[in-house]
Amino acid sequence: MITKRIVPCLDVKDGRVVKGVNFQGLNDVASPVELAEKYSMSGADELVFYDITASFENRKLFTDILTETARKVFIPLTVGGGINTLEDFDRVLKCGADKVSVNSGAIKNPNIINEAARKYGNQCVVLSCDIKRVDNEFKVFAKGGRENTGIDAIEWIKSGVGRGAGEIVVNSMDTDGVKKGFDLELLKLVSDSVNVPIIASGGAGSIDDFINLFSDIPKISAGLAASIFHFGTVEISDLKRSLKKKGIMVRK
């Protein structure tokens, strides 16, 4: 079994980490710099930093707070938000990111995946997908979950991998912030469709949710969560200890 990764997520708005439910009702949490440093020291395998309103506000990602955050992190850092051009990839990588996550920018211009993969390598290009059930079908949403594109989620993910995306983040809008478990139905469909690492996002509320995720869908590479780590509901060290007891391989 592949070693599983535990990935905290920093959703950043106006320079502060925020968290909501189903992509709504955002509440202030903390400084991204302080949280990033905490997670880097407490056993997180990677960290994701999203400037969650950059695409909606049609602006570039905040680079000052990103640069400061990256200085505090000694684990791989994935950054997304307002990524629309190769210049955006370059700017974010120069700020200290290891991987760049593209979402709305790829929906507007799918060729950015091909171009970025050619220039920086597949491992650097992460396709992040905000997905919601609409009339019992999985659809892709853009601009921080505000806009239904009408695109079939599974076909979009397959297309993104075909273009060169080296990793997929599956953000279930239906389970986001609800804390009742990952969206296993959606994640199984995705894992059956592509052969690149998949990060599951949305719904983690307990250690058992991670155990169920990795036990039910062995191909899933990582579990991403925000509020349960931010507010101390689950400590990463306790989570990894519990996963090991269940025979699920994790990094130290």
Side-chain angles (χ1 to χ4, degrees):
M1 182 185 291
I2 298 171
T3 303
K4 306 305 183 185
R5 292 172 285 150
I6 304 302
V7 185
C9 179
L10 307 179
D11 291 325
V12 179
K13 181 178 185 290
D14 299 327
R16 297 284 293 178
V17 176
V18 296
K19 193 67 190 89
V21 176
N22 302 129
F23 283 42
Q24 303 291 323
L26 300 176
N27 295 307
D28 183 85
V29 176
S31 156
V33 179
E34 293 172 3
L35 272 184
E37 186 172 24
K38 170 194 166 188
Y39 290 134
S40 184
M41 301 297 288
S42 64
D45 298 306
E46 296 188 13
L47 191 64
V48 169
F49 178 113
Y50 287 138
D51 185 341
I52 60 171
T53 57
S55 291
F56 176 68
E57 294 171 0
N58 195 29
R59 60 168 171 79
K60 295 183 182 298
L61 182 146
F62 291 125
T63 52
D64 51 353
I65 194 74
L66 170 58
T67 301
E68 192 177 352
T69 301
R71 287 197 189 106
K72 301 290 186 180
V73 174
F74 301 98
I75 53 178
L77 175 64
T78 298
V79 176
I83 306 297
N84 295 293
T85 65
L86 283 184
E87 289 74 19
D88 292 330
F89 269 80
D90 190 62
R91 183 167 50 86
V92 167
L93 290 168
K94 285 177 177 174
C95 287
D98 298 284
K99 295 184 278 189
V100 181
S101 175
V102 63
N103 188 334
S104 296
I107 294 168
K108 287 187 291 185
N109 174 25
N111 283 330
I112 191 176
I113 302 173
N114 309 64
E115 294 165 2
R118 277 196 298 267
K119 185 169 183 179
Y120 302 108
N122 301 64
Q123 78 289 340
C124 184
V125 183
V126 179
L127 179 61
S128 180
C129 307
D130 298 333
I131 301 170
K132 186 176 182 180
R133 289 168 178 79
V134 179
D135 297 328
N136 294 316
E137 296 181 347
F138 290 111
K139 298 297 182 180
V140 175
F141 279 63
K143 297 182 179 178
R146 294 173 178 84
E147 180 182 293
N148 180 4
T149 66
I151 298 170
D152 179 83
I154 304 304
E155 292 306 313
W156 171 242
I157 289 170
K158 287 162 65 175
S159 170
V161 171
R163 289 177 177 275
E167 187 169 64
I168 304 294
V169 178
V170 179
N171 306 304
S172 171
M173 294 177 63
D174 295 308
T175 60
D176 175 73
V178 178
K179 301 180 184 178
K180 292 187 178 179
F182 291 96
D183 195 332
L184 299 181
E185 179 189 5
L186 169 60
L187 290 163
K188 283 177 181 174
L189 286 173
V190 175
S191 70
D192 287 343
S193 300
V194 293
N195 288 311
V196 298
I198 299 165
I199 299 179
S201 171
S206 68
I207 288 175
D208 283 344
D209 292 334
F210 285 87
I211 293 172
N212 291 338
L213 170 68
F214 295 132
S215 298
D216 290 2
I217 317 176
K219 279 180 63 178
I220 296 292
S221 299
L224 180 151
S227 56
I228 62 166
F229 296 141
H230 297 343
F231 300 119
T233 307
V234 172
E235 295 293 337
I236 293 174
S237 57
D238 294 337
L239 170 56
K240 287 191 168 184
R241 200 158 33 244
S242 297
L243 289 170
K244 285 179 183 176
K245 286 181 180 177
K246 293 293 184 178
I248 298 168
M249 293 175 60
V250 294
R251 300 174 184 178
K252 293 183 179 179

